Amino acid sequence: MTHANDSLMPVLFVPHGGGPLPLLNDTNHHELRAFLSSVAVNIPTPKAIVLITAHWEEAQVTLSSHPHPGMLFDYYGFPPEAYQLSYPASGEPALAEKIASLLTANGIAVKLDDQRAFDHGTFVPLTLMYPEANIPVVQMSLVQHLDPNAHIAIGEALASLREQGVLIVGSGMSFHNMRAFFSSDPKVLPRSQAFDDWLTQVLTVEQSDAKSQLMHWQSAPEARFSHPREEHLLPLHVCFGAGQFHSSQAKHQFSGVLFNTAISGYLWQ
């Protein structure tokens, strides 16, 4: 890895897979695991990571501020080893306060949570990306109203962190329909691919209305089939907001198939 000096940190959106399965060598997750294990190689070493997780929703943006967050095993029905995982990265309360100031200055309500532990939206991808757990992490919630425009605005407020050696990571899924994941219907893959193609086109082909299209993502092909509820998509909106100022378009960093559905990851440089 190279080291961050005055270089602009990228912004990364990653699919984090199903529960702890990427860490349990599940055969369905081999593609995703390989991507997460290699994606950091071409990213400057960050001073800190801000991770927006699909698995935390609050009435207002909330930031983890414990100096040594614990583990939150927010899943059930997995083998015992899934509840013995550890990701001992430190928190960074000072960075959480700085982020809170940025959001407040942009008229965005925010609070700190000094008890919140790392949920699997955070520790699963980071265990594969940064297994040494030697980079401080601040975890960020979504806002319960799930408004796409508001989440883009949150990202816009975070953009200056890129100049300070902070890696912004959105952790969700580009496709998230639990019923479809476990369906044998042959139409699932092409339907998921239709939404994936739209999303990739919006993010990676320069166009002046990309923000408007993301704000109105529900009009996309197979939008509600791909996201019956949009909490796994909105970390991408935050990433877009943070990435668009310096990177007019994203790179399609990962394209794979998970449980017979198309999934993607994106990088703004």
Side-chain angles (χ1 to χ4, degrees):
M1 294 183 188
T2 56
H3 287 268
N5 296 314
D6 297 326
S7 60
L8 190 70
M9 292 299 296
V11 177
L12 179 66
F13 172 80
V14 298
H16 60 234
L21 290 175
L23 302 182
L24 302 181
N25 290 314
D26 174 67
T27 55
N28 294 293
H29 285 77
H30 282 175
E31 275 187 312
L32 178 57
R33 181 183 172 91
F35 163 65
L36 291 171
S37 298
S38 63
V39 67
V41 171
N42 296 314
I43 293 175
T45 304
K47 296 175 181 175
I49 297 168
V50 176
L51 189 140
I52 303 96
T53 171
H55 288 277
W56 188 15
E57 297 174 33
E58 296 283 352
Q60 60 199 66
V61 179
T62 307
L63 301 159
S64 64
S65 60
H66 194 290
H68 300 287
M71 299 289 285
L72 176 58
F73 300 118
D74 52 338
Y75 42 68
Y76 60 91
F78 292 96
E81 56 264 33
Y83 305 92
Q84 297 161 7
L85 297 167
S86 176
Y87 192 72
S90 65
E92 191 163 325
L95 177 59
E97 292 180 5
K98 178 186 288 188
I99 296 168
S101 296
L102 288 173
L103 293 168
T104 300
N106 283 272
I108 298 169
V110 60
K111 66 178 181 179
L112 303 182
D113 184 336
D114 63 3
Q115 299 298 311
R116 178 74 182 190
F118 291 148
D119 63 50
H120 79 272
T122 298
F123 70 74
V124 167
L126 292 186
T127 294
L128 295 169
M129 290 171 62
Y130 297 104
E132 302 89 353
N134 58 358
I135 300 169
V137 178
V138 172
Q139 191 173 239
M140 176 182 285
S141 78
L142 299 175
V143 185
Q144 288 170 343
H145 54 53
L146 302 182
D147 177 73
N149 190 35
H151 285 85
I152 292 173
I154 291 165
E156 291 171 347
L158 302 180
S160 64
L161 296 172
R162 300 180 62 189
E163 300 167 357
Q164 301 167 40
V166 177
L167 176 64
I168 299 168
V169 179
S171 174
M173 291 286 286
S174 55
F175 179 94
H176 194 259
N177 178 330
M178 296 299 291
R179 182 172 294 181
F181 282 145
F182 301 105
S183 171
S184 59
D185 185 345
K187 296 178 182 177
V188 166
L189 182 57
R191 291 183 73 184
S192 70
Q193 191 68 59
F195 182 78
D196 195 86
D197 289 347
W198 172 85
L199 189 61
T200 298
Q201 177 81 6
V202 169
L203 296 176
T204 65
V205 178
E206 190 163 3
Q207 46 194 307
S208 59
D209 65 342
K211 181 176 179 178
S212 176
Q213 290 197 66
L214 285 178
M215 286 169 55
H216 300 97
W217 70 272
Q218 295 180 51
S219 299
E222 302 292 357
R224 276 301 177 195
F225 173 73
S226 299
H227 292 278
R229 191 173 185 274
E230 55 265 46
E231 80 286 343
H232 274 72
L233 182 64
L234 289 179
L236 183 143
H237 286 68
V238 179
C239 288
F240 174 83
Q244 64 173 327
F245 283 107
H246 299 286
S247 315
S248 59
Q249 57 207 83
K251 288 186 176 182
H252 193 192
Q253 198 73 1
F254 170 68
S255 177
V257 175
L258 177 65
F259 297 128
N260 202 36
T261 68
I263 58 170
S264 287
Y266 304 94
L267 181 74
W268 290 259
Q269 289 182 309

